[in-house]
Amino acid sequence: MAKEMDAFSASLMADKREIIFAPTVYKFQTFAQMAEEFKLGERDVVLTNEFIYTPFMKDLGLKCNFVFQEKFGTGEPSEETIQVMYDMIPYDSYDRVIAVGGGAILDMCKLLGCKRPNTVHDLFFKRFPVVHEKDVIAIPTTCGTGSECTNITVAIVKDEKDGQLTGGETKLGLVSDDIIPNKVCLIPDLLRTLPFKPFACSAIDALVHATESFLSPARKTMTSELFSEKAMEMILKGLKLIKEKGPDARFEYMDEFVTASLYAGIAFLKAGCATVHAMSFPLGGTYHVPHGESNYMLFGAVLRVYEELNPNGELLRFKQMVANILDCTVEEAIPSLNNLLETVLPLRPLHDCGFTEEDIVEFPKSVEVNQQRLITNSYVPMTQELMQRIYRECF
């Protein structure tokens, strides 16, 4: 049986705000325009990647403190990399944080805007308060996470059970309105450095955000539905364009992709994500599969289970929308969607990243313990047995 709703989800349902959206949003053609608008200078720290800095920032002569993520570790944030970041960027050395990058950089910069914790571990296990103290300007260079506008930061941390370290790792989200960036700047031109596979994974990630928000059984609101529907429509049309014209077609649709990603992020601020994200977190934490790809690996199978157990309701509306965009029947909507995604990016089986038969049994246990805020938002009640079935199907 599924557990009762966790305290986090219950608190969100008790919060009667239609939507939680704090940043002021800007759109610029170039990074130079953004730098001029915000008068970037010596007291600004810019966290980015060198491959983004070189073509877009190097020649501008800015006096900011530029710090490259690759200096303290690539991939998704972990306790260790966050601590190295803290050590490299003294708290009294900056007044503003400029995040220019993908989800990992955006998530880490949210932490740079907050009071420094005694340990990163205590921060993520909620034994240290989240206190926003410095302005954060978020500039996404992917079109997937929506992290530029959300109240969550995610990291791979040492796992605990009953307050004791287990010796393993898991992926946890730290949730607080205090970590929402102050401003968001959309600069579609920055996405041109993104190779096709990371681009496709990020676009599919945004589609998952929007879909799970739209299917949210209890937390969906009028505004989250509005943003999730528009995000799904824009992303599906963009993926369909890529299927028809090839990978380079994305360059003519970058503005729409980065905007849709923002919309999807706004949608799940209140409505939340669900089973796909819950089940992908231990996959990312254990085998370091990029977040967008780990979601993609599970997305189709989760939708098939939803359709089997509750084909009507919001899922029927979702299928009708997909059918209209993909020009298929409602009955063919989910197979057609999965076919579209596989045409854009071939789907890897879980065993290809190191996933084992033992994980099919063990991962659902971890998900049930650590990801209640997500699985309680599932379109159908989610059990360990159903999760085992999904993992096995994707294996």
PDB file of all heavy atoms in Angstrom, residues 216-245:
ATOM      1  N   SER A 216      -1.027  16.080 -11.983  1.00  0.00           N
ATOM      2  CA  SER A 216      -1.014  16.138 -10.519  1.00  0.00           C
ATOM      3  C   SER A 216      -2.419  15.918  -9.957  1.00  0.00           C
ATOM      4  O   SER A 216      -3.334  16.673 -10.275  1.00  0.00           O
ATOM      5  CB  SER A 216      -0.484  17.506 -10.074  1.00  0.00           C
ATOM      6  OG  SER A 216      -0.509  17.618  -8.678  1.00  0.00           O
ATOM      7  N   PRO A 217      -2.596  14.905  -9.119  1.00  0.00           N
ATOM      8  CA  PRO A 217      -3.956  14.550  -8.697  1.00  0.00           C
ATOM      9  C   PRO A 217      -4.576  15.499  -7.684  1.00  0.00           C
ATOM     10  O   PRO A 217      -5.792  15.600  -7.608  1.00  0.00           O
ATOM     11  CB  PRO A 217      -3.765  13.155  -8.074  1.00  0.00           C
ATOM     12  CG  PRO A 217      -2.350  13.142  -7.609  1.00  0.00           C
ATOM     13  CD  PRO A 217      -1.585  13.973  -8.600  1.00  0.00           C
ATOM     14  N   ALA A 218      -3.763  16.207  -6.915  1.00  0.00           N
ATOM     15  CA  ALA A 218      -4.330  17.036  -5.860  1.00  0.00           C
ATOM     16  C   ALA A 218      -3.748  18.439  -5.806  1.00  0.00           C
ATOM     17  O   ALA A 218      -4.417  19.363  -5.357  1.00  0.00           O
ATOM     18  CB  ALA A 218      -4.131  16.349  -4.498  1.00  0.00           C
ATOM     19  N   ARG A 219      -2.496  18.597  -6.249  1.00  0.00           N
ATOM     20  CA  ARG A 219      -1.819  19.882  -6.055  1.00  0.00           C
ATOM     21  C   ARG A 219      -1.924  20.808  -7.263  1.00  0.00           C
ATOM     22  O   ARG A 219      -1.516  21.960  -7.202  1.00  0.00           O
ATOM     23  CB  ARG A 219      -0.349  19.642  -5.698  1.00  0.00           C
ATOM     24  CG  ARG A 219      -0.160  19.186  -4.271  1.00  0.00           C
ATOM     25  CD  ARG A 219       1.222  18.647  -3.996  1.00  0.00           C
ATOM     26  NE  ARG A 219       2.278  19.471  -4.562  1.00  0.00           N
ATOM     27  CZ  ARG A 219       3.543  19.071  -4.627  1.00  0.00           C
ATOM     28  NH1 ARG A 219       3.885  17.882  -4.182  1.00  0.00           N
ATOM     29  NH2 ARG A 219       4.464  19.850  -5.149  1.00  0.00           N
ATOM     30  N   LYS A 220      -2.468  20.328  -8.381  1.00  0.00           N
ATOM     31  CA  LYS A 220      -2.578  21.182  -9.559  1.00  0.00           C
ATOM     32  C   LYS A 220      -3.520  22.355  -9.292  1.00  0.00           C
ATOM     33  O   LYS A 220      -4.535  22.216  -8.621  1.00  0.00           O
ATOM     34  CB  LYS A 220      -3.093  20.363 -10.746  1.00  0.00           C
ATOM     35  CG  LYS A 220      -3.181  21.173 -12.032  1.00  0.00           C
ATOM     36  CD  LYS A 220      -3.347  20.290 -13.245  1.00  0.00           C
ATOM     37  CE  LYS A 220      -4.730  19.724 -13.373  1.00  0.00           C
ATOM     38  NZ  LYS A 220      -4.928  19.104 -14.704  1.00  0.00           N
ATOM     39  N   THR A 221      -3.133  23.527  -9.833  1.00  0.00           N
ATOM     40  CA  THR A 221      -3.950  24.723  -9.674  1.00  0.00           C
ATOM     41  C   THR A 221      -4.315  25.258 -11.059  1.00  0.00           C
ATOM     42  O   THR A 221      -3.854  24.757 -12.079  1.00  0.00           O
ATOM     43  CB  THR A 221      -3.179  25.812  -8.907  1.00  0.00           C
ATOM     44  OG1 THR A 221      -2.092  26.271  -9.728  1.00  0.00           O
ATOM     45  CG2 THR A 221      -2.644  25.283  -7.590  1.00  0.00           C
ATOM     46  N   MET A 222      -5.115  26.307 -11.081  1.00  0.00           N
ATOM     47  CA  MET A 222      -5.481  26.909 -12.371  1.00  0.00           C
ATOM     48  C   MET A 222      -4.252  27.390 -13.123  1.00  0.00           C
ATOM     49  O   MET A 222      -4.115  27.183 -14.330  1.00  0.00           O
ATOM     50  CB  MET A 222      -6.432  28.099 -12.151  1.00  0.00           C
ATOM     51  CG  MET A 222      -7.799  27.725 -11.646  1.00  0.00           C
ATOM     52  SD  MET A 222      -8.895  29.171 -11.544  1.00  0.00           S
ATOM     53  CE  MET A 222      -8.047  30.176 -10.314  1.00  0.00           C
ATOM     54  N   THR A 223      -3.348  28.049 -12.406  1.00  0.00           N
ATOM     55  CA  THR A 223      -2.178  28.602 -13.080  1.00  0.00           C
ATOM     56  C   THR A 223      -1.176  27.526 -13.466  1.00  0.00           C
ATOM     57  O   THR A 223      -0.557  27.594 -14.529  1.00  0.00           O
ATOM     58  CB  THR A 223      -1.504  29.665 -12.194  1.00  0.00           C
ATOM     59  OG1 THR A 223      -1.498  29.217 -10.834  1.00  0.00           O
ATOM     60  CG2 THR A 223      -2.222  30.982 -12.290  1.00  0.00           C
ATOM     61  N   SER A 224      -1.002  26.511 -12.620  1.00  0.00           N
ATOM     62  CA  SER A 224      -0.060  25.448 -12.991  1.00  0.00           C
ATOM     63  C   SER A 224      -0.566  24.692 -14.219  1.00  0.00           C
ATOM     64  O   SER A 224       0.217  24.290 -15.080  1.00  0.00           O
ATOM     65  CB  SER A 224       0.161  24.480 -11.821  1.00  0.00           C
ATOM     66  OG  SER A 224      -0.960  23.665 -11.590  1.00  0.00           O
ATOM     67  N   GLU A 225      -1.875  24.512 -14.312  1.00  0.00           N
ATOM     68  CA  GLU A 225      -2.435  23.855 -15.499  1.00  0.00           C
ATOM     69  C   GLU A 225      -2.190  24.690 -16.748  1.00  0.00           C
ATOM     70  O   GLU A 225      -1.815  24.170 -17.798  1.00  0.00           O
ATOM     71  CB  GLU A 225      -3.932  23.622 -15.303  1.00  0.00           C
ATOM     72  CG  GLU A 225      -4.601  22.964 -16.502  1.00  0.00           C
ATOM     73  CD  GLU A 225      -6.055  22.627 -16.241  1.00  0.00           C
ATOM     74  OE1 GLU A 225      -6.334  21.939 -15.249  1.00  0.00           O
ATOM     75  OE2 GLU A 225      -6.910  23.071 -17.033  1.00  0.00           O
ATOM     76  N   LEU A 226      -2.376  25.985 -16.630  1.00  0.00           N
ATOM     77  CA  LEU A 226      -2.158  26.885 -17.768  1.00  0.00           C
ATOM     78  C   LEU A 226      -0.713  26.784 -18.265  1.00  0.00           C
ATOM     79  O   LEU A 226      -0.462  26.604 -19.464  1.00  0.00           O
ATOM     80  CB  LEU A 226      -2.468  28.325 -17.337  1.00  0.00           C
ATOM     81  CG  LEU A 226      -2.179  29.431 -18.345  1.00  0.00           C
ATOM     82  CD1 LEU A 226      -3.141  29.356 -19.505  1.00  0.00           C
ATOM     83  CD2 LEU A 226      -2.280  30.796 -17.662  1.00  0.00           C
ATOM     84  N   PHE A 227       0.255  26.878 -17.345  1.00  0.00           N
ATOM     85  CA  PHE A 227       1.661  26.842 -17.743  1.00  0.00           C
ATOM     86  C   PHE A 227       2.079  25.449 -18.226  1.00  0.00           C
ATOM     87  O   PHE A 227       2.868  25.331 -19.157  1.00  0.00           O
ATOM     88  CB  PHE A 227       2.545  27.295 -16.581  1.00  0.00           C
ATOM     89  CG  PHE A 227       2.583  28.788 -16.403  1.00  0.00           C
ATOM     90  CD1 PHE A 227       1.900  29.391 -15.363  1.00  0.00           C
ATOM     91  CD2 PHE A 227       3.300  29.583 -17.280  1.00  0.00           C
ATOM     92  CE1 PHE A 227       1.933  30.771 -15.195  1.00  0.00           C
ATOM     93  CE2 PHE A 227       3.344  30.961 -17.129  1.00  0.00           C
ATOM     94  CZ  PHE A 227       2.654  31.559 -16.081  1.00  0.00           C
ATOM     95  N   SER A 228       1.560  24.393 -17.598  1.00  0.00           N
ATOM     96  CA  SER A 228       1.950  23.046 -18.034  1.00  0.00           C
ATOM     97  C   SER A 228       1.403  22.733 -19.418  1.00  0.00           C
ATOM     98  O   SER A 228       2.094  22.143 -20.255  1.00  0.00           O
ATOM     99  CB  SER A 228       1.488  21.989 -17.020  1.00  0.00           C
ATOM    100  OG  SER A 228       0.088  21.973 -16.869  1.00  0.00           O
ATOM    101  N   GLU A 229       0.166  23.131 -19.691  1.00  0.00           N
ATOM    102  CA  GLU A 229      -0.404  22.881 -21.022  1.00  0.00           C
ATOM    103  C   GLU A 229       0.399  23.598 -22.097  1.00  0.00           C
ATOM    104  O   GLU A 229       0.707  23.017 -23.145  1.00  0.00           O
ATOM    105  CB  GLU A 229      -1.867  23.343 -21.064  1.00  0.00           C
ATOM    106  CG  GLU A 229      -2.841  22.377 -20.435  1.00  0.00           C
ATOM    107  CD  GLU A 229      -4.282  22.722 -20.781  1.00  0.00           C
ATOM    108  OE1 GLU A 229      -4.501  23.500 -21.739  1.00  0.00           O
ATOM    109  OE2 GLU A 229      -5.187  22.210 -20.104  1.00  0.00           O
ATOM    110  N   LYS A 230       0.720  24.864 -21.866  1.00  0.00           N
ATOM    111  CA  LYS A 230       1.463  25.625 -22.875  1.00  0.00           C
ATOM    112  C   LYS A 230       2.862  25.054 -23.060  1.00  0.00           C
ATOM    113  O   LYS A 230       3.361  24.950 -24.197  1.00  0.00           O
ATOM    114  CB  LYS A 230       1.547  27.098 -22.464  1.00  0.00           C
ATOM    115  CG  LYS A 230       2.137  28.001 -23.552  1.00  0.00           C
ATOM    116  CD  LYS A 230       1.281  27.955 -24.824  1.00  0.00           C
ATOM    117  CE  LYS A 230       1.835  28.873 -25.903  1.00  0.00           C
ATOM    118  NZ  LYS A 230       1.056  28.793 -27.159  1.00  0.00           N
ATOM    119  N   ALA A 231       3.505  24.642 -21.961  1.00  0.00           N
ATOM    120  CA  ALA A 231       4.839  24.051 -22.070  1.00  0.00           C
ATOM    121  C   ALA A 231       4.801  22.767 -22.884  1.00  0.00           C
ATOM    122  O   ALA A 231       5.644  22.554 -23.769  1.00  0.00           O
ATOM    123  CB  ALA A 231       5.406  23.783 -20.675  1.00  0.00           C
ATOM    124  N   MET A 232       3.836  21.893 -22.598  1.00  0.00           N
ATOM    125  CA  MET A 232       3.738  20.629 -23.346  1.00  0.00           C
ATOM    126  C   MET A 232       3.513  20.888 -24.833  1.00  0.00           C
ATOM    127  O   MET A 232       4.131  20.252 -25.686  1.00  0.00           O
ATOM    128  CB  MET A 232       2.615  19.762 -22.772  1.00  0.00           C
ATOM    129  CG  MET A 232       2.928  19.175 -21.406  1.00  0.00           C
ATOM    130  SD  MET A 232       1.690  17.981 -20.820  1.00  0.00           S
ATOM    131  CE  MET A 232       0.252  19.017 -20.569  1.00  0.00           C
ATOM    132  N   GLU A 233       2.636  21.815 -25.118  1.00  0.00           N
ATOM    133  CA  GLU A 233       2.344  22.142 -26.525  1.00  0.00           C
ATOM    134  C   GLU A 233       3.598  22.622 -27.249  1.00  0.00           C
ATOM    135  O   GLU A 233       3.930  22.146 -28.347  1.00  0.00           O
ATOM    136  CB  GLU A 233       1.260  23.221 -26.580  1.00  0.00           C
ATOM    137  CG  GLU A 233       0.972  23.731 -27.985  1.00  0.00           C
ATOM    138  CD  GLU A 233       0.113  24.986 -27.975  1.00  0.00           C
ATOM    139  OE1 GLU A 233      -0.674  25.178 -27.026  1.00  0.00           O
ATOM    140  OE2 GLU A 233       0.257  25.795 -28.917  1.00  0.00           O
ATOM    141  N   MET A 234       4.335  23.554 -26.643  1.00  0.00           N
ATOM    142  CA  MET A 234       5.522  24.117 -27.295  1.00  0.00           C
ATOM    143  C   MET A 234       6.622  23.061 -27.461  1.00  0.00           C
ATOM    144  O   MET A 234       7.266  22.981 -28.516  1.00  0.00           O
ATOM    145  CB  MET A 234       6.046  25.301 -26.479  1.00  0.00           C
ATOM    146  CG  MET A 234       5.102  26.487 -26.444  1.00  0.00           C
ATOM    147  SD  MET A 234       5.610  27.765 -25.261  1.00  0.00           S
ATOM    148  CE  MET A 234       7.002  28.476 -26.129  1.00  0.00           C
ATOM    149  N   ILE A 235       6.825  22.241 -26.442  1.00  0.00           N
ATOM    150  CA  ILE A 235       7.894  21.239 -26.517  1.00  0.00           C
ATOM    151  C   ILE A 235       7.559  20.166 -27.541  1.00  0.00           C
ATOM    152  O   ILE A 235       8.415  19.772 -28.352  1.00  0.00           O
ATOM    153  CB  ILE A 235       8.133  20.611 -25.132  1.00  0.00           C
ATOM    154  CG1 ILE A 235       8.664  21.661 -24.171  1.00  0.00           C
ATOM    155  CG2 ILE A 235       9.125  19.441 -25.232  1.00  0.00           C
ATOM    156  CD1 ILE A 235       8.607  21.246 -22.705  1.00  0.00           C
ATOM    157  N   LEU A 236       6.336  19.691 -27.544  1.00  0.00           N
ATOM    158  CA  LEU A 236       5.956  18.653 -28.510  1.00  0.00           C
ATOM    159  C   LEU A 236       6.059  19.169 -29.948  1.00  0.00           C
ATOM    160  O   LEU A 236       6.517  18.451 -30.837  1.00  0.00           O
ATOM    161  CB  LEU A 236       4.535  18.159 -28.225  1.00  0.00           C
ATOM    162  CG  LEU A 236       4.379  17.270 -26.982  1.00  0.00           C
ATOM    163  CD1 LEU A 236       2.910  16.974 -26.726  1.00  0.00           C
ATOM    164  CD2 LEU A 236       5.157  15.970 -27.140  1.00  0.00           C
ATOM    165  N   LYS A 237       5.669  20.404 -30.171  1.00  0.00           N
ATOM    166  CA  LYS A 237       5.787  20.972 -31.517  1.00  0.00           C
ATOM    167  C   LYS A 237       7.258  21.089 -31.918  1.00  0.00           C
ATOM    168  O   LYS A 237       7.627  20.836 -33.073  1.00  0.00           O
ATOM    169  CB  LYS A 237       5.098  22.337 -31.581  1.00  0.00           C
ATOM    170  CG  LYS A 237       3.576  22.236 -31.588  1.00  0.00           C
ATOM    171  CD  LYS A 237       2.920  23.612 -31.682  1.00  0.00           C
ATOM    172  CE  LYS A 237       1.404  23.479 -31.756  1.00  0.00           C
ATOM    173  NZ  LYS A 237       0.730  24.816 -31.803  1.00  0.00           N
ATOM    174  N   GLY A 238       8.111  21.459 -30.950  1.00  0.00           N
ATOM    175  CA  GLY A 238       9.534  21.554 -31.248  1.00  0.00           C
ATOM    176  C   GLY A 238      10.158  20.194 -31.536  1.00  0.00           C
ATOM    177  O   GLY A 238      10.966  20.047 -32.468  1.00  0.00           O
ATOM    178  N   LEU A 239       9.804  19.178 -30.766  1.00  0.00           N
ATOM    179  CA  LEU A 239      10.332  17.828 -30.998  1.00  0.00           C
ATOM    180  C   LEU A 239       9.824  17.261 -32.323  1.00  0.00           C
ATOM    181  O   LEU A 239      10.558  16.566 -33.042  1.00  0.00           O
ATOM    182  CB  LEU A 239       9.950  16.911 -29.840  1.00  0.00           C
ATOM    183  CG  LEU A 239      10.563  17.268 -28.478  1.00  0.00           C
ATOM    184  CD1 LEU A 239      10.039  16.334 -27.397  1.00  0.00           C
ATOM    185  CD2 LEU A 239      12.091  17.222 -28.535  1.00  0.00           C
ATOM    186  N   LYS A 240       8.583  17.579 -32.644  1.00  0.00           N
ATOM    187  CA  LYS A 240       8.034  17.147 -33.930  1.00  0.00           C
ATOM    188  C   LYS A 240       8.795  17.802 -35.080  1.00  0.00           C
ATOM    189  O   LYS A 240       9.087  17.160 -36.103  1.00  0.00           O
ATOM    190  CB  LYS A 240       6.540  17.517 -33.999  1.00  0.00           C
ATOM    191  CG  LYS A 240       5.823  17.021 -35.243  1.00  0.00           C
ATOM    192  CD  LYS A 240       4.343  17.416 -35.190  1.00  0.00           C
ATOM    193  CE  LYS A 240       3.614  16.990 -36.456  1.00  0.00           C
ATOM    194  NZ  LYS A 240       2.197  17.448 -36.441  1.00  0.00           N
ATOM    195  N   LEU A 241       9.159  19.066 -34.922  1.00  0.00           N
ATOM    196  CA  LEU A 241       9.947  19.776 -35.937  1.00  0.00           C
ATOM    197  C   LEU A 241      11.303  19.103 -36.128  1.00  0.00           C
ATOM    198  O   LEU A 241      11.771  18.921 -37.261  1.00  0.00           O
ATOM    199  CB  LEU A 241      10.126  21.230 -35.508  1.00  0.00           C
ATOM    200  CG  LEU A 241      10.925  22.141 -36.440  1.00  0.00           C
ATOM    201  CD1 LEU A 241      10.144  22.381 -37.734  1.00  0.00           C
ATOM    202  CD2 LEU A 241      11.236  23.466 -35.757  1.00  0.00           C
ATOM    203  N   ILE A 242      11.932  18.706 -35.021  1.00  0.00           N
ATOM    204  CA  ILE A 242      13.229  18.026 -35.105  1.00  0.00           C
ATOM    205  C   ILE A 242      13.092  16.679 -35.795  1.00  0.00           C
ATOM    206  O   ILE A 242      13.934  16.289 -36.610  1.00  0.00           O
ATOM    207  CB  ILE A 242      13.821  17.866 -33.690  1.00  0.00           C
ATOM    208  CG1 ILE A 242      14.227  19.236 -33.137  1.00  0.00           C
ATOM    209  CG2 ILE A 242      15.015  16.916 -33.693  1.00  0.00           C
ATOM    210  CD1 ILE A 242      14.588  19.223 -31.673  1.00  0.00           C
ATOM    211  N   LYS A 243      12.012  15.953 -35.490  1.00  0.00           N
ATOM    212  CA  LYS A 243      11.784  14.659 -36.145  1.00  0.00           C
ATOM    213  C   LYS A 243      11.652  14.834 -37.653  1.00  0.00           C
ATOM    214  O   LYS A 243      12.164  14.027 -38.436  1.00  0.00           O
ATOM    215  CB  LYS A 243      10.527  14.003 -35.587  1.00  0.00           C
ATOM    216  CG  LYS A 243      10.184  12.666 -36.242  1.00  0.00           C
ATOM    217  CD  LYS A 243       8.906  12.064 -35.681  1.00  0.00           C
ATOM    218  CE  LYS A 243       8.569  10.750 -36.392  1.00  0.00           C
ATOM    219  NZ  LYS A 243       7.305  10.146 -35.868  1.00  0.00           N
ATOM    220  N   GLU A 244      10.993  15.906 -38.056  1.00  0.00           N
ATOM    221  CA  GLU A 244      10.722  16.122 -39.492  1.00  0.00           C
ATOM    222  C   GLU A 244      11.928  16.698 -40.236  1.00  0.00           C
ATOM    223  O   GLU A 244      12.183  16.333 -41.386  1.00  0.00           O
ATOM    224  CB  GLU A 244       9.519  17.060 -39.639  1.00  0.00           C
ATOM    225  CG  GLU A 244       8.212  16.451 -39.158  1.00  0.00           C
ATOM    226  CD  GLU A 244       7.096  17.481 -39.066  1.00  0.00           C
ATOM    227  OE1 GLU A 244       7.387  18.696 -39.231  1.00  0.00           O
ATOM    228  OE2 GLU A 244       5.939  17.082 -38.811  1.00  0.00           O
ATOM    229  N   LYS A 245      12.689  17.572 -39.570  1.00  0.00           N
ATOM    230  CA  LYS A 245      13.732  18.311 -40.283  1.00  0.00           C
ATOM    231  C   LYS A 245      15.149  18.004 -39.819  1.00  0.00           C
ATOM    232  O   LYS A 245      16.110  18.494 -40.414  1.00  0.00           O
ATOM    233  CB  LYS A 245      13.459  19.810 -40.157  1.00  0.00           C
ATOM    234  CG  LYS A 245      12.122  20.239 -40.761  1.00  0.00           C
ATOM    235  CD  LYS A 245      11.826  21.710 -40.551  1.00  0.00           C
ATOM    236  CE  LYS A 245      12.795  22.622 -41.251  1.00  0.00           C
ATOM    237  NZ  LYS A 245      12.403  24.055 -41.135  1.00  0.00           N
TER     238      LYS A 245
END
